[in-house]
C-alpha cells in the first residue's frame, strides 16, 4: 500500500509518498495511485523538510527506497554523498560512477530522481558552473542552492 500527503513549502507543494516503511517519492507531482494519508513517517519527513527550509537541518535521517534501474540507484546513492553547500558537475558524477563518458546517462538518472531535495540532485551543475535542468525548474534549483549557499545570488 502506498500513502501520500501534500505539504506547502517555500518551493511549492511537495507530495511525499510512502510505501512500506520507506519514502519512495518527494515531488511536485501527486501520486494518484496512493491513498491520501498522513502517516508518522510522512509527518517526520515533512518535519525534516521544514527544518531544512528553515536552515536548521543539513542532512536527512529518513528511510528511503527510490524506485529505479540499477544505474539510477547507483547515481542516486552518489548524489547523497554530495555535501550540503557543495556542488558537483555531471562529469565529476560520471567519473565517480566509474564511467567518465556517461555524462548524458548521469544527467538522465539525475532527471529521474524521485526523491527531490533529500536526494540532492539540485547540487549537480554544468561543467562551466551554470545551472542546468531541474525537474522543479531552474528557479527552484537556484533557490535551493542559495539556501545552502552553494552559489551566489544572481
Amino acid at each position: 500500500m502506498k500513502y501520500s500527503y501534500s505539504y506547502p513549502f517555500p518551493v511549492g507543494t511537495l507530495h511525499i509518498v510512502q510505501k512500506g516503511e520507506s519514502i519512495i517519492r518527494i515531488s511536485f507531482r501527486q501520486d494518484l495511485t496512493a491513498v491520501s494519508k498522513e502517516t508518522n513517517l510522512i509527518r517526520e519527513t515533512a518535519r525534516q523538510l521544514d527544518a531544512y527550509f528553515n536552515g536548521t537541518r543539513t542532512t536527512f535521517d529518513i528511510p528511503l527506497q527510490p524506485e529505479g534501474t540499477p544505474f539510477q540507484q547507483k547515481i542516486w546513492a552518489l548524489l547523497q554523498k554530495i555535501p550540503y553547500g557543495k556542488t558537483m558537475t555531471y562529469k565529476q558524477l560520471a567519473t565517480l560512477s566509474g564511467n567518465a563518458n556517461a555524462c548524458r546517462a548521469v544527467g538522465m538518472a539525475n532527471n529521474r530522481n524521485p526523491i527531490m531535495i533529500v536526494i540532492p540532485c539540485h547540487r549537480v551543475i554544468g561543467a562551466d558552473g551554470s545551472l542546468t535542468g531541474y525537474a522543479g525548474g531552474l528557479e527552484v534549483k537556484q533557490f535551493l542552492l542559495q539556501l545552502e549557499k552553494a552559489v551566489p545570488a544572481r
Side-chain angles (χ1 to χ4, degrees):
M1 179 69 68
K2 289 193 298 187
Y3 299 105
S4 176
Y5 208 78
S6 305
Y7 296 91
F9 289 102
V11 295
T13 299
L14 293 178
H15 305 278
I16 303 170
V17 181
Q18 174 183 344
K19 182 177 178 183
E21 299 302 315
S22 301
I23 296 300
I24 63 165
R25 179 175 294 283
I26 298 174
S27 72
F28 290 116
R29 293 180 310 144
Q30 190 170 9
D31 186 334
L32 300 176
T33 66
V35 173
S36 179
K37 181 178 178 183
E38 186 180 35
T39 67
N40 288 338
L41 178 55
I42 289 174
R43 192 176 304 112
E44 174 60 19
T45 302
R47 188 189 68 72
Q48 289 188 28
L49 284 166
D50 275 333
Y52 168 82
F53 285 115
N54 290 330
T56 58
R57 178 175 281 277
T58 60
T59 61
F60 295 91
D61 182 24
I62 50 178
L64 305 176
Q65 193 167 15
E67 298 172 342
T69 68
F71 181 76
Q72 290 169 337
Q73 298 279 346
K74 181 178 188 177
I75 298 305
W76 299 336
L78 291 171
L79 288 172
Q80 292 177 75
K81 295 180 180 183
I82 303 172
Y84 180 93
K86 302 291 182 188
T87 57
M88 183 176 285
T89 67
Y90 291 96
K91 178 75 168 178
Q92 290 170 319
L93 197 54
T95 300
L96 279 178
S97 78
N99 184 351
N101 296 320
C103 294
R104 292 186 81 153
V106 164
M108 290 305 297
N110 203 44
N111 178 264
R112 293 208 165 90
N113 171 20
I115 305 176
M116 64 185 307
I117 302 169
V118 176
I119 297 178
C121 56
H122 61 277
R123 295 179 187 153
V124 181
I125 59 173
D128 62 357
S130 65
L131 299 186
T132 56
Y134 185 66
L138 292 182
E139 302 81 22
V140 172
K141 185 172 188 167
Q142 179 73 35
F143 173 85
L144 295 170
L145 291 174
Q146 285 179 349
L147 176 73
E148 297 180 9
K149 298 183 180 28
V151 295
R154 292 184 179 207

PDB file of all heavy atoms in Angstrom, residues 131-143:
ATOM      1  N   LEU A 131      23.770  26.666 -13.996  1.00  0.00           N
ATOM      2  CA  LEU A 131      22.655  25.843 -13.540  1.00  0.00           C
ATOM      3  C   LEU A 131      22.027  25.219 -14.770  1.00  0.00           C
ATOM      4  O   LEU A 131      21.678  25.906 -15.713  1.00  0.00           O
ATOM      5  CB  LEU A 131      21.623  26.690 -12.804  1.00  0.00           C
ATOM      6  CG  LEU A 131      22.114  27.401 -11.552  1.00  0.00           C
ATOM      7  CD1 LEU A 131      20.951  28.083 -10.853  1.00  0.00           C
ATOM      8  CD2 LEU A 131      22.801  26.445 -10.605  1.00  0.00           C
ATOM      9  N   THR A 132      21.903  23.921 -14.739  1.00  0.00           N
ATOM     10  CA  THR A 132      21.296  23.208 -15.854  1.00  0.00           C
ATOM     11  C   THR A 132      20.048  22.530 -15.342  1.00  0.00           C
ATOM     12  O   THR A 132      19.782  22.526 -14.143  1.00  0.00           O
ATOM     13  CB  THR A 132      22.279  22.189 -16.444  1.00  0.00           C
ATOM     14  OG1 THR A 132      22.715  21.316 -15.397  1.00  0.00           O
ATOM     15  CG2 THR A 132      23.482  22.868 -17.055  1.00  0.00           C
ATOM     16  N   GLY A 133      19.286  21.942 -16.228  1.00  0.00           N
ATOM     17  CA  GLY A 133      17.988  21.360 -15.942  1.00  0.00           C
ATOM     18  C   GLY A 133      17.709  20.887 -14.525  1.00  0.00           C
ATOM     19  O   GLY A 133      18.579  20.370 -13.846  1.00  0.00           O
ATOM     20  N   TYR A 134      16.477  21.081 -14.119  1.00  0.00           N
ATOM     21  CA  TYR A 134      15.999  20.615 -12.825  1.00  0.00           C
ATOM     22  C   TYR A 134      14.501  20.393 -12.963  1.00  0.00           C
ATOM     23  O   TYR A 134      13.795  21.261 -13.506  1.00  0.00           O
ATOM     24  CB  TYR A 134      16.309  21.647 -11.736  1.00  0.00           C
ATOM     25  CG  TYR A 134      15.954  21.189 -10.341  1.00  0.00           C
ATOM     26  CD1 TYR A 134      16.618  20.124  -9.748  1.00  0.00           C
ATOM     27  CD2 TYR A 134      14.937  21.809  -9.623  1.00  0.00           C
ATOM     28  CE1 TYR A 134      16.291  19.698  -8.469  1.00  0.00           C
ATOM     29  CE2 TYR A 134      14.611  21.385  -8.349  1.00  0.00           C
ATOM     30  CZ  TYR A 134      15.284  20.332  -7.777  1.00  0.00           C
ATOM     31  OH  TYR A 134      14.956  19.898  -6.515  1.00  0.00           O
ATOM     32  N   ALA A 135      14.019  19.259 -12.497  1.00  0.00           N
ATOM     33  CA  ALA A 135      12.609  18.912 -12.655  1.00  0.00           C
ATOM     34  C   ALA A 135      11.679  19.977 -12.070  1.00  0.00           C
ATOM     35  O   ALA A 135      10.595  20.204 -12.581  1.00  0.00           O
ATOM     36  CB  ALA A 135      12.322  17.552 -12.021  1.00  0.00           C
ATOM     37  N   GLY A 136      12.111  20.647 -11.027  1.00  0.00           N
ATOM     38  CA  GLY A 136      11.293  21.684 -10.405  1.00  0.00           C
ATOM     39  C   GLY A 136      11.474  23.055 -11.033  1.00  0.00           C
ATOM     40  O   GLY A 136      10.856  24.020 -10.601  1.00  0.00           O
ATOM     41  N   GLY A 137      12.335  23.142 -12.042  1.00  0.00           N
ATOM     42  CA  GLY A 137      12.615  24.416 -12.693  1.00  0.00           C
ATOM     43  C   GLY A 137      13.894  25.025 -12.142  1.00  0.00           C
ATOM     44  O   GLY A 137      14.280  24.790 -10.989  1.00  0.00           O
ATOM     45  N   LEU A 138      14.550  25.826 -12.971  1.00  0.00           N
ATOM     46  CA  LEU A 138      15.826  26.418 -12.565  1.00  0.00           C
ATOM     47  C   LEU A 138      15.673  27.397 -11.409  1.00  0.00           C
ATOM     48  O   LEU A 138      16.590  27.558 -10.608  1.00  0.00           O
ATOM     49  CB  LEU A 138      16.505  27.091 -13.755  1.00  0.00           C
ATOM     50  CG  LEU A 138      17.001  26.146 -14.843  1.00  0.00           C
ATOM     51  CD1 LEU A 138      17.704  26.917 -15.948  1.00  0.00           C
ATOM     52  CD2 LEU A 138      17.926  25.079 -14.277  1.00  0.00           C
ATOM     53  N   GLU A 139      14.507  28.043 -11.287  1.00  0.00           N
ATOM     54  CA  GLU A 139      14.293  28.965 -10.173  1.00  0.00           C
ATOM     55  C   GLU A 139      14.328  28.213  -8.840  1.00  0.00           C
ATOM     56  O   GLU A 139      14.879  28.706  -7.854  1.00  0.00           O
ATOM     57  CB  GLU A 139      12.950  29.704 -10.309  1.00  0.00           C
ATOM     58  CG  GLU A 139      12.794  30.488 -11.582  1.00  0.00           C
ATOM     59  CD  GLU A 139      12.390  29.625 -12.784  1.00  0.00           C
ATOM     60  OE1 GLU A 139      11.834  28.527 -12.602  1.00  0.00           O
ATOM     61  OE2 GLU A 139      12.685  30.057 -13.906  1.00  0.00           O
ATOM     62  N   VAL A 140      13.739  27.032  -8.818  1.00  0.00           N
ATOM     63  CA  VAL A 140      13.740  26.214  -7.601  1.00  0.00           C
ATOM     64  C   VAL A 140      15.156  25.730  -7.301  1.00  0.00           C
ATOM     65  O   VAL A 140      15.607  25.772  -6.155  1.00  0.00           O
ATOM     66  CB  VAL A 140      12.751  25.027  -7.714  1.00  0.00           C
ATOM     67  CG1 VAL A 140      12.897  24.072  -6.532  1.00  0.00           C
ATOM     68  CG2 VAL A 140      11.326  25.537  -7.819  1.00  0.00           C
ATOM     69  N   LYS A 141      15.876  25.313  -8.343  1.00  0.00           N
ATOM     70  CA  LYS A 141      17.260  24.865  -8.160  1.00  0.00           C
ATOM     71  C   LYS A 141      18.097  26.005  -7.584  1.00  0.00           C
ATOM     72  O   LYS A 141      18.855  25.812  -6.628  1.00  0.00           O
ATOM     73  CB  LYS A 141      17.839  24.394  -9.490  1.00  0.00           C
ATOM     74  CG  LYS A 141      19.231  23.805  -9.396  1.00  0.00           C
ATOM     75  CD  LYS A 141      19.636  23.182 -10.730  1.00  0.00           C
ATOM     76  CE  LYS A 141      20.934  22.422 -10.612  1.00  0.00           C
ATOM     77  NZ  LYS A 141      21.187  21.581 -11.786  1.00  0.00           N
ATOM     78  N   GLN A 142      17.961  27.191  -8.158  1.00  0.00           N
ATOM     79  CA  GLN A 142      18.690  28.365  -7.670  1.00  0.00           C
ATOM     80  C   GLN A 142      18.334  28.652  -6.212  1.00  0.00           C
ATOM     81  O   GLN A 142      19.214  28.901  -5.390  1.00  0.00           O
ATOM     82  CB  GLN A 142      18.369  29.588  -8.544  1.00  0.00           C
ATOM     83  CG  GLN A 142      19.056  30.858  -8.087  1.00  0.00           C
ATOM     84  CD  GLN A 142      20.541  30.861  -8.381  1.00  0.00           C
ATOM     85  OE1 GLN A 142      20.972  30.326  -9.388  1.00  0.00           O
ATOM     86  NE2 GLN A 142      21.322  31.453  -7.514  1.00  0.00           N
ATOM     87  N   PHE A 143      17.048  28.570  -5.883  1.00  0.00           N
ATOM     88  CA  PHE A 143      16.600  28.805  -4.510  1.00  0.00           C
ATOM     89  C   PHE A 143      17.262  27.817  -3.548  1.00  0.00           C
ATOM     90  O   PHE A 143      17.757  28.208  -2.488  1.00  0.00           O
ATOM     91  CB  PHE A 143      15.073  28.694  -4.421  1.00  0.00           C
ATOM     92  CG  PHE A 143      14.545  28.751  -3.026  1.00  0.00           C
ATOM     93  CD1 PHE A 143      14.302  29.974  -2.410  1.00  0.00           C
ATOM     94  CD2 PHE A 143      14.302  27.594  -2.300  1.00  0.00           C
ATOM     95  CE1 PHE A 143      13.830  30.034  -1.106  1.00  0.00           C
ATOM     96  CE2 PHE A 143      13.831  27.645  -0.998  1.00  0.00           C
ATOM     97  CZ  PHE A 143      13.595  28.872  -0.399  1.00  0.00           C
TER      98      PHE A 143
END
